């Protein structure tokens, strides 16, 4: 530990995490951020002023005991720090990489009032990579088998966290996944430059070693019904099917070729093998939207050789939903931002394709019910932006299991649940994006963990083990 009095810690220099330079990183889909060295991690963690009631812990949806593992890191006790971080999170190595810390823990960090906040995410990544290099992912203690069987539908962070917690409690868990491999959006949505696939692989391999049964390429509601699961020996079901149905505003010209949704574009081009399918060399690409998905599309398009990549977003930079860090990364990689612009119609190139979009200038009006200032069009301010490819990233609705008499869903396709996360069908629970709508990895983990505790209570109260 750097032997520095608490009051002097604010004078310690911040150690920014090193990033690969844009010209280098645009040539591949590998992670952009490097990992701290032990010396850097100690120096950065030593900047923590050890608040009595740490606001970083409160701001973290998982309430990770951040201060405690920062102190351990500052003392060079990396393994202990990693173990502590693993007690509240089922994948801290993932959260360290892709949580929007600048909107959560780091935004709340007291040091950040006058100085750069402590780089909590980079330290979380470091301690967990350190632990992985030292000891792999050792298996935790598992309770004696209860004889209860639970089906988890969907292998994103919500489903995997729930499975992890249930198996530790002695229940047998089978995870059904529609895609060829487990991981949900961690594997099939979030690009490798934020989270490499090998990180997802080692987490799912660990879960299999722990005893989670993974059944991929099986879509519940199609290959096996929810009723068949309930009648076929499962005592409870957890629906963690995510929210991946694209929202699309109805705009003139939306039938034209070369207008597509964000997720298929990302899946095609962020492949396991690192071999993208599209070649956008010379094309002008416009991405509509301002969230994390839009940022990932913009940065993917830059890696595919597009001549220009433009983000069109209806609010200003300060009011966009995505992480500031991601916006900065996109800017560093040459993305152009058109703030306060909303699409009006897609323009026809005369051959069935798109040649651009007409947009209108917006200004921010009164705050809406969530307190965000509403964008209002400025009459007569329309202009055109040329484009050979337009990608729509307006967000997602829920993607519930196809079932005519399944649990109740809202008009946004998300499940209705009670305080225990149970749907309108007894014994069928739901969580993650499937309930919240498109949200975050960390909130999906919160839900998966809470569901495991609720399912455990339900099983003990309502069923006898086999
Ligand atoms: C492009 C993109 C970038 C993102 N970037 C970030 C980020 O940087 N940081 C962050 O915190 N969050 C990010 N998110 C959000 C985050 O990925 C999600 O909030 C999180 O993955 C939700 O977890 P989940 O387990 O609820 O659902 P998902 O990860 O969506 O997993 C759902 C799984 O269920 C499967 N499934 C669905 N229906 C069925 C069925 N009927 N039968 C069997 N399987 C089924 C799906 O195939 C999928 O594997 C991003 C999202 C996107 C789309």
């Amino acid at each position: 530990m750097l032997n520095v009095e608490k009051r002097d810690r604010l004078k310690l220099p911040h150690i920014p995490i090193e990033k690969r330079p844009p010209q280098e990183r645009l040539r591949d889909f590998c992670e952009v951020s490097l990992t701290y060295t032990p010396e850097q991690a100690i120096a950065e963690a030593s900047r923590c002023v050890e608040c009595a009631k740490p606001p970083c812990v409160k701001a973290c949806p998982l309430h990770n005991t951040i201060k405690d593992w920062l102190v351990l890191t500052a003392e060079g006790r990396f393994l202990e720090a990693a173990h502590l971080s693993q007690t509240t999170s089922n994948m801290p190595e993932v959260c360290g990489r892709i949580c929007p810390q600048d909107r959560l823990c780091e935004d709340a960090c007291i040091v950040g009032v006058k100085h750069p906040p402590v780089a909590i995410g980079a330290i979380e990544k470091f301690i967990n990579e350190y632990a992985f290099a030292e000891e792999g992912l050792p298996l935790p203690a598992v309770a004696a088998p209860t004889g209860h069987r639970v089906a988890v539908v969907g292998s994103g962070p919500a489903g995997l966290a729930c499975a992890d917690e249930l198996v530790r409690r002695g229940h047998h868990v089978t995870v059904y996944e529609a895609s060829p491999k487990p991981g949900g959006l961690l594997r099939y949505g979030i690009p490798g430059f934020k989270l490499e696939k090998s990180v997802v692989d080692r987490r799912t391999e660990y879960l299999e070693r722990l005893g989670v049964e993974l059944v991929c390429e099986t879509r519940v509601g199609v290959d096996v019904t929810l009723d068949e699961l309930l009648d076929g020996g499962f005592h409870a079901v957890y629906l963690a099917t995510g929210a991946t149905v694209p929202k699309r505003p109805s705009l003139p010209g939306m039938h034209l070729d070369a207008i597509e949704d964000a997720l298929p574009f990302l899946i095609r081009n962020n492949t396991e093998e690192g071999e993208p399918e599209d070649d956008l060399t010379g094309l002008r690409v416009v991405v509509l939207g301002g969230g994390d998905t839009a940022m990932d599309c913009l940065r993917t398009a830059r890696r595919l050789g597009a001549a220009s990549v433009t983000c069109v977003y209806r609010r200003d930079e300060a009011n966009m939903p995505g992480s500031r860090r991601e916006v900065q990364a996109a800017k560093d990689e040459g993305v152009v931002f058109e703030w306060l612009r909303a699409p009006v119609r897609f323009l026809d190139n005369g051959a069935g394709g798109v040649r651009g979009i007409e947009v209108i200038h917006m200004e921010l009006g009164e705050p809406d019910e969530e307190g965000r200032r509403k964008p209002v069009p400025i009459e007569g301010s329309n202009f055109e932006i040329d484009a050979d490819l337009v990608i729509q990233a307006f967000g997602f609705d829920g993607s519930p299991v196809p079932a005519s008499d399944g649990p109740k869903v809202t008009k946004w396709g998300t499940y209705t649940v009670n305080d225990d996360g149970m749907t309108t069908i007894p014994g069928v629970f739901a969580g993650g994006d499937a309930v919240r709508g498109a949200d975050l990895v960390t909130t999906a983990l919160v839900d998966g963990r809470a569901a495991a505790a609720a399912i455990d209570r339900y099983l003990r109260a309502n069923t006898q083990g086999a």
Side-chain angles (χ1 to χ4, degrees):
M1 167 143 192
L2 298 182
N3 199 8
V4 182
E5 288 294 321
K6 274 191 200 171
R7 64 172 179 276
D8 293 329
R9 291 187 198 165
L10 291 175
K11 294 181 196 149
L12 292 174
H14 163 57
I15 316 289
I17 191 71
E18 211 179 314
K19 293 188 167 60
R20 296 162 64 218
Q23 282 323 314
E24 179 194 315
R25 68 202 205 208
L26 283 176
R27 289 198 287 265
D28 60 45
F29 282 77
C30 299
E31 277 179 23
V32 163
S33 293
L34 304 184
T35 309
Y36 276 144
T37 62
E39 295 73 25
Q40 288 174 323
I42 289 175
E44 183 64 14
S46 299
R47 298 179 60 237
C48 172
V49 291
E50 296 180 47
C51 305
K53 288 188 183 163
C56 54
V57 176
K58 195 169 170 217
C60 169
L62 284 160
H63 302 308
N64 286 335
T65 52
I66 296 166
K67 179 187 89 174
D68 298 337
W69 44 257
L70 288 180
V71 170
L72 288 168
T73 305
E75 291 171 355
R77 296 159 66 186
F78 305 137
L79 269 184
E80 289 165 80
H83 294 163
L84 190 58
S85 77
Q86 291 156 11
T87 59
T88 51
S89 174
N90 301 74
M91 35 185 87
E93 75 286 10
V94 171
C95 292
R97 286 170 162 87
I98 60 167
C99 260
Q101 289 97 2
D102 54 351
R103 288 197 274 138
L104 298 171
C105 55
E106 293 179 16
D107 184 45
C109 174
I110 291 293
V111 176
V113 174
K114 288 200 175 156
H115 307 274
V118 177
I120 296 167
I123 293 171
E124 187 180 29
K125 176 181 171 188
F126 164 77
I127 52 179
N128 282 285
E129 288 307 317
Y130 179 93
F132 183 77
E134 287 290 305
E135 58 180 18
L137 289 173
L139 295 179
V142 170
T146 60
H148 290 129
R149 296 179 64 217
V150 181
V152 170
V153 185
S155 67
L160 294 182
C162 182
D164 189 358
E165 295 296 316
L166 285 170
V167 167
R168 292 180 198 221
R169 289 170 163 88
H171 306 304
H172 186 274
V173 180
T174 306
V175 178
Y176 291 96
E177 169 53 54
S179 298
K181 286 196 170 190
L185 288 173
L186 300 180
R187 182 184 299 279
Y188 290 110
I190 299 174
F193 48 80
K194 282 163 60 180
L195 175 70
E196 285 176 13
K197 313 286 177 209
S198 58
V199 180
V200 185
D201 285 337
R202 70 191 193 200
R203 185 46 68 182
T204 55
E205 282 159 15
Y206 150 87
L207 288 168
E208 285 194 290
R209 277 192 291 120
L210 185 65
V212 175
E213 188 186 354
L214 289 172
V215 181
C216 290
E217 296 190 291
T218 304
R219 184 173 289 278
V220 173
V222 176
D223 301 311
V224 54
T225 66
L226 196 49
D227 284 344
E228 282 168 339
L229 293 182
L230 290 166
D231 297 342
F234 288 105
H235 301 102
V237 176
Y238 182 53
L239 301 172
T241 48
T244 51
V245 174
K247 289 184 194 285
R248 293 189 198 114
S250 176
L251 292 175
M254 60 190 298
H255 61 280
L256 294 170
D257 286 344
I259 301 171
E260 76 164 314
D261 294 320
L263 208 47
F265 170 75
L266 288 172
I267 293 172
R268 260 196 336 268
N269 293 303
N270 290 289
T271 60
E272 298 280 324
E273 302 74 28
E275 293 293 332
E277 285 185 25
D278 297 356
D279 178 2
L280 304 185
T281 306
L283 300 188
R284 296 159 302 179
V285 178
V286 170
V287 176
L288 305 176
D292 282 338
T293 304
M295 296 310 118
D296 290 349
C297 291
L298 293 158
R299 299 176 66 196
T300 297
R302 284 292 292 134
R303 283 163 175 75
L304 298 173
S308 68
V309 181
T310 307
C311 177
V312 170
Y313 180 57
R314 63 197 180 127
R315 289 188 164 93
D316 62 1
E317 185 166 1
N319 286 286
M320 66 180 304
S323 147
R324 307 275 168 281
R325 209 173 45 190
E326 297 301 316
V327 178
Q328 189 55 51
K331 284 182 181 172
D332 293 345
E333 292 171 8
V335 169
V336 174
F337 283 83
E338 290 278 1
W339 307 112
L340 290 165
R341 313 277 186 259
V344 175
R345 66 188 175 105
F346 298 102
L347 304 168
D348 195 333
N349 67 4
V354 74
R355 70 167 174 83
I357 53 168
E358 182 181 316
V359 298
I360 187 164
H361 284 270
M362 310 292 280
E363 60 188 350
L364 293 180
E366 294 302 310
D368 61 17
E369 33 323 321
E370 287 166 11
R372 288 175 79 203
R373 290 179 65 196
K374 233 175 158 170
V376 184
I378 303 174
E379 285 309 314
S381 65
N382 302 36
F383 70 104
E384 293 181 2
I385 301 177
D386 295 335
D388 306 297
L389 171 66
V390 180
I391 300 168
Q392 307 186 82
F394 293 115
F396 302 96
D397 284 330
S399 31
V401 164
S404 52
D405 54 354
K408 188 176 170 199
V409 291
T410 65
K411 65 177 176 175
W412 298 282
T414 49
Y415 288 110
T416 303
V417 293
N418 67 14
D419 289 347
D420 270 343
M422 190 154 78
T423 66
T424 47
I425 296 184
V428 178
F429 295 74
D433 282 7
V435 168
R436 295 172 183 264
D439 204 4
L440 294 172
V441 170
T442 175
T443 50
L445 296 176
V446 168
D447 287 359
R449 294 169 69 84
I455 291 170
D456 185 58
R457 285 193 300 275
Y458 171 84
L459 292 174
R460 290 178 196 283
N462 294 284
T463 59
Q464 306 233 312

